[in-house]
C-alpha cells in the first residue's frame, strides 16, 4: 500500500479508508509501463510492444535455451495445436508459449515484462477470436509458426527465429483489422 500510495495510485484518508486515485483509474503502471483504459488502444499498444521486444527475446532464447526450455515450448505449441483442432480456446497455451520463450531467454527483466503483459495478451487473444473476427487467428499456418520458432531455437538459429516471431505478430495485427498502412508503420 505504501508503494502504491507513493506512486500516486492510492491515497489514504485517515479514519476513512484507502482509495484509488482518480488519475490512476485509467491504468496501473507496471515496470514503468502505463496501461490505458481504452481496450482497443491497449491491445494495439500491447502488440506494438511485443513487436519490438519478442523478436529480440526469441534471439536470446536461441542462444540460451536449455533442453527443458525447448521441451516446454514444444509442449505449449502442441497443446495449442490440439486445442485448436478440438475447437477449444487456445489462449492459455498460446500465452504459455510466449512466456516459455521469454523464460528460455534467461533474462529476468524481459521475463518480467512478458509476464506483466499477460493480461494484455489475454485481451488481444479475446479480440482475435471474438465473433467479430469470424476466422480464428490461430489457423494452421499461424499455429505452425510456434513449431517453426521452437525449431529455430533448438537449432540455435537466432537469425532465423526472429523474423518468424515478427511474422507471427504481424499476422495478429492484420487479423485485428489494421490496414496495410498500419502494418507499414511496423516495417
Amino acid at each position: 500500500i505504501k508503494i502504491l500510495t507513493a506512486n500516486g495510485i492510492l491515497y489514504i484518508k485517515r479514519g476513512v479508508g484507502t482509495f484509488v486515485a482518480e488519475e490512476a483509474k485509467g491504468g496501473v503502471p507496471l515496470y514503468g509501463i502505463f496501461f490505458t483504459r481504452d481496450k482497443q488502444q491497449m491491445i494495439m499498444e500491447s502488440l506494438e510492444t511485443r513487436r519490438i521486444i519478442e523478436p529480440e527475446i526469441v534471439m536470446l532464447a536461441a542462444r540460451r535455451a536449455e533442453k527443458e526450455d525447448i521441451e516446454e515450448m514444444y509442449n505449449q505449441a502442441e497443446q495449442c495445436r490440439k486445442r485448436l483442432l478440438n475447437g477449444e480456446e487456445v489462449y492459455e497455451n498460446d500465452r504459455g508459449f510466449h512466456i516459455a520463450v521469454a523464460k528460455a531467454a534467461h533474462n529476468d527483466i524481459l521475463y518480467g515484462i512478458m509476464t506483466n503483459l499477460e493480461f494484455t495478451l489475454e485481451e488481444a487473444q479475446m479480440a482475435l477470436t471474438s465473433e467479430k473476427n469470424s476466422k480464428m487467428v490461430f489457423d494452421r499456418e499461424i499455429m505452425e509458426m510456434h513449431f517453426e520458432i521452437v525449431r529455430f531455437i533448438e537449432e540455435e538459429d537466432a537469425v532465423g527465429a526472429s523474423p518468424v516471431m515478427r511474422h507471427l505478430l504481424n499476422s495478429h495485427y492484420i487479423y485485428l483489422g489494421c490496414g496495410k498502412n498500419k502494418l507499414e508503420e511496423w516495417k
Side-chain angles (χ1 to χ4, degrees), residues 14 45 48 69 84 104 110 132 137 146 152:
R14 292 203 183 272
E45 288 176 1
E48 287 172 349
D69 298 321
L84 175 68
L110 290 172
K132 178 182 171 189
V137 70
H146 283 171
F152 277 119

Side-chain angles (χ1 to χ4, degrees), residues 103-135:
K103 186 176 180 185
H106 294 277
N107 179 309
D108 291 340
I109 293 172
L110 290 172
Y111 179 73
I113 290 170
M114 286 302 294
T115 56
N116 280 306
L117 282 174
E118 180 178 331
F119 80 93
T120 58
L121 294 174
E122 182 175 14
E123 293 286 347
Q125 180 65 25
M126 283 194 243
L128 289 166
T129 58
S130 69
E131 289 180 36
K132 178 182 171 189
N133 298 299
S134 59
K135 185 176 189 278

Side-chain angles (χ1 to χ4, degrees), residues 1-57:
I1 290 176
K2 286 181 183 181
I3 293 169
L4 294 174
T5 303
N7 284 304
I9 296 168
L10 299 178
Y11 66 94
I12 299 171
K13 286 187 179 179
R14 292 203 183 272
V16 179
T18 304
F19 304 91
V20 176
E22 196 62 40
E23 301 81 31
K25 290 185 178 175
V28 178
L30 297 170
Y31 290 102
I33 301 170
F34 190 85
F35 293 103
T36 179
R37 183 174 23 194
D38 181 320
K39 285 188 179 186
Q40 184 176 11
Q41 182 180 352
M42 178 184 68
I43 291 167
M44 298 315 300
E45 288 176 1
S46 171
L47 286 171
E48 287 172 349
T49 302
R50 292 176 61 198
R51 174 70 167 65
I52 292 166
I53 66 172
E54 283 195 77
E56 296 298 322
I57 288 172

